Amino acid sequence: MLSGFRKRLVRTGSVDNLLKPFEKSTADVVLDRSDPDSPEWDTAIGSIPVRWIHTTKDGIRNFKILQNYLEPNSTTSLQKAGEAILRVVPTNKMNSTEIWTFGQDCIDLVEQIPYSNPCQLRLAGLLKYLGSSSSFSQMDQREDSRIWHDSHQKLRESLVDRRNISPYGEDKSEIKHVNFTAFCAKLGDNQVYINGTEWAVADMEAAHENPLEEGVSKEVAVLAAAQWILW
């Protein structure tokens, strides 16, 4: 199924044609609020404008770590960024509010990063690294003596919640949907378990629907589906 879909995209030149409208700044989906009392502020990662919600002091610390790590010319290694985050989040509490908030913040951030930007892949790799720690995972001993490793439970729940609100998000932003889908595909490529197969099939079916869901463009539906093939 995937190979046939890939051949169709290559034959028609759909991927190249669809990339062009979305190779633009995400400034159009970042709100401009100047209220000094707002819990949000505008900043940037390289040339990418992003809006960050500073919920707690630890949330601000984590964002600064992510911002430094994801900068295009950053010299911060994956291991160094991961260890810095692990010093902020609680240990052995993978179901804590702090871990859940960190996952939510990562999703909010990645929806603002263009799907083709290397920052997405760097963030997916960082989450894979964090998934091996006791802060983001746990080892369960089963009755049959097998050991089950579970990681990023709260991140998975947040991804499912975001996806279930609407495939195009609360604000029906097409670019955010493509960015979100691309990141989910990259998480799967980094062995961070998500509901990838089901979502990939659903996106490919959506790309072939006629008519499409109200408010959904054909170009975006096909481009979102293509992310599962590319990664």
Side-chain angles (χ1 to χ4, degrees):
M1 177 180 177
L2 294 183
S3 60
F5 191 76
R6 181 194 293 272
K7 291 177 181 177
R8 179 179 175 184
L9 288 173
V10 172
R11 184 173 62 252
T12 60
S14 298
V15 172
D16 291 337
N17 291 334
L18 291 173
L19 290 177
K20 295 177 182 178
F22 294 93
E23 295 293 352
K24 60 182 181 180
S25 168
T26 56
D28 58 327
V29 297
V30 178
L31 300 177
D32 181 17
R33 297 178 182 173
S34 56
D35 181 1
D37 295 325
S38 171
E40 306 175 353
W41 85 87
D42 293 317
T43 183
I45 294 178
S47 61
I48 307 170
V50 296
R51 173 167 288 278
W52 186 259
I53 303 175
H54 48 95
T55 52
T56 64
K57 290 183 179 179
D58 285 349
I60 296 174
R61 293 190 186 99
N62 283 330
F63 174 73
K64 293 299 184 181
I65 296 168
L66 292 176
Q67 185 179 34
N68 181 267
Y69 171 66
L70 296 176
E71 285 288 341
N73 299 319
S74 174
T75 58
T76 302
S77 68
L78 181 152
Q79 182 177 2
K80 185 176 180 180
E83 291 176 349
I85 289 173
L86 292 175
R87 287 195 293 269
V88 176
V89 299
T91 304
N92 297 320
K93 292 183 178 181
M94 65 172 290
N95 294 317
S96 66
T97 300
E98 292 86 352
I99 297 298
W100 174 82
T101 300
F102 177 77
Q104 290 281 103
D105 289 344
C106 285
I107 296 173
D108 289 338
L109 178 61
V110 82
E111 286 186 331
Q112 301 176 68
I113 299 176
Y115 63 89
S116 58
N117 192 288
C119 287
Q120 281 214 0
L121 192 58
R122 283 172 62 81
L123 182 55
L126 178 61
L127 289 174
K128 176 184 178 180
Y129 177 87
L130 294 173
S132 62
S133 72
S134 60
S135 295
F136 290 86
S137 67
Q138 64 183 12
M139 303 291 286
D140 292 333
Q141 185 78 37
R142 301 301 174 88
E143 292 181 359
D144 57 4
S145 297
R146 291 184 300 171
I147 297 177
W148 181 265
H149 179 74
D150 185 25
S151 64
H152 285 302
Q153 178 179 334
K154 287 302 178 183
L155 175 64
R156 292 200 307 272
E157 292 174 359
S158 295
L159 289 170
V160 171
D161 288 345
R162 187 65 57 92
R163 171 93 182 186
N164 288 343
I165 290 173
S166 166
Y168 291 86
E170 293 176 290
D171 58 1
K172 295 291 184 180
S173 171
E174 294 184 335
I175 186 64
K176 280 189 176 182
H177 172 58
V178 177
N179 294 342
F180 174 82
T181 303
F183 186 63
C184 289
K186 289 164 188 168
L187 285 176
D189 190 56
N190 276 274
Q191 291 82 53
V192 177
Y193 174 76
I194 58 172
N195 211 15
T197 303
E198 180 180 333
W199 292 353
V201 172
D203 284 340
M204 291 181 189
E205 289 178 345
H208 288 85
E209 287 181 359
N210 191 15
L212 295 173
E213 178 185 340
E214 183 179 357
V216 178
S217 68
K218 185 70 172 180
E219 291 80 7
V220 169
V222 173
L223 185 55
Q227 300 308 311
W228 298 106
I229 302 171
L230 296 173
W231 295 99

